[in-house]
Amino acid sequence: MTTTESRLPNPAALVPELKDIGGALYKATGNGAVPQATISLAQLRAGQLAGSTYLTVLHTGNLRKAGATEETITAVASWRDAPYFTDAERVALELVEAVLTPNPAGERVPDELYARASEQYDDKALATLIMAIGQVCFFLPLALIGKPLPGVSPAEQWRN
């Protein structure tokens, strides 16, 4: 196998139900309760934390489509000290980090973080944001184990 080929053939061909699951997740996170740019910011940060080039390229492209500036996209990895993010975007990024980063000192999402998230998002929006984190986490093992080709169309990213 070379770096120009994924490890797996198209998983949707192997497990056709994956299309239905992916479609349902996409519909749930695209309900309008959270701006698409915020969802893509959170999902880009998840890809960065996981070390997945495929996910970082995918969600960088999604951010561009949502109208994010190059400065904003570039600053996602260092969002805490970057001036480009709203309070709502910052708490979304913090939630992603809390979910994906072990906390040896206690729970990952403390009450204080949840309270700040609740100040920025109503219940539907917060549930949508949680599902957006879950959506990227659902596909994370596929990205890390299957190694689809980044920046390639879905039809061409998997080996034949």
Side-chain angles (χ1 to χ4, degrees):
M1 190 173 1
T2 68
T3 58
T4 59
E5 184 176 74
S6 67
R7 289 180 179 159
L8 279 176
N10 187 342
L14 299 170
V15 183
E17 297 83 359
L18 186 59
K19 288 181 184 177
D20 294 334
I21 294 167
L25 288 169
Y26 182 78
K27 184 177 178 183
T29 60
N31 65 20
V34 177
Q36 186 57 50
T38 303
I39 288 171
S40 294
L41 282 171
Q43 292 180 335
L44 171 56
R45 188 65 186 130
Q48 290 172 338
L49 290 168
S52 171
T53 300
Y54 172 77
L55 290 173
T56 57
V57 170
L58 174 68
H59 295 297
T60 295
N62 289 344
L63 275 166
R64 285 188 181 110
K65 288 178 194 168
T69 66
E70 289 302 311
E71 291 83 2
T72 298
I73 294 167
T74 302
V76 170
S78 59
W79 65 270
R80 289 182 188 273
D81 65 357
Y84 307 112
F85 304 101
T86 66
D87 289 342
E89 291 168 338
R90 287 179 184 285
V91 79
L93 290 164
E94 191 172 352
L95 281 171
V96 170
E97 288 188 1
V99 168
L100 292 176
T101 307
N103 182 0
E107 67 181 313
R108 291 186 184 201
V109 182
D111 291 341
E112 180 273 331
L113 175 54
Y114 182 84
R116 285 190 292 112
S118 294
E119 290 172 6
Q120 297 297 322
Y121 298 100
D122 63 24
D123 289 342
K124 180 177 180 177
L126 188 53
T128 300
L129 181 58
I130 292 166
M131 292 302 103
I133 296 168
Q135 178 185 29
V136 72
C137 289
F138 176 81
F139 288 105
L140 188 57
L142 193 55
L144 295 174
I145 298 167
K147 285 197 161 186
L149 301 177
V152 178
S153 75
E156 298 171 342
Q157 64 193 213
W158 301 103
R159 75 173 159 86
N160 294 321

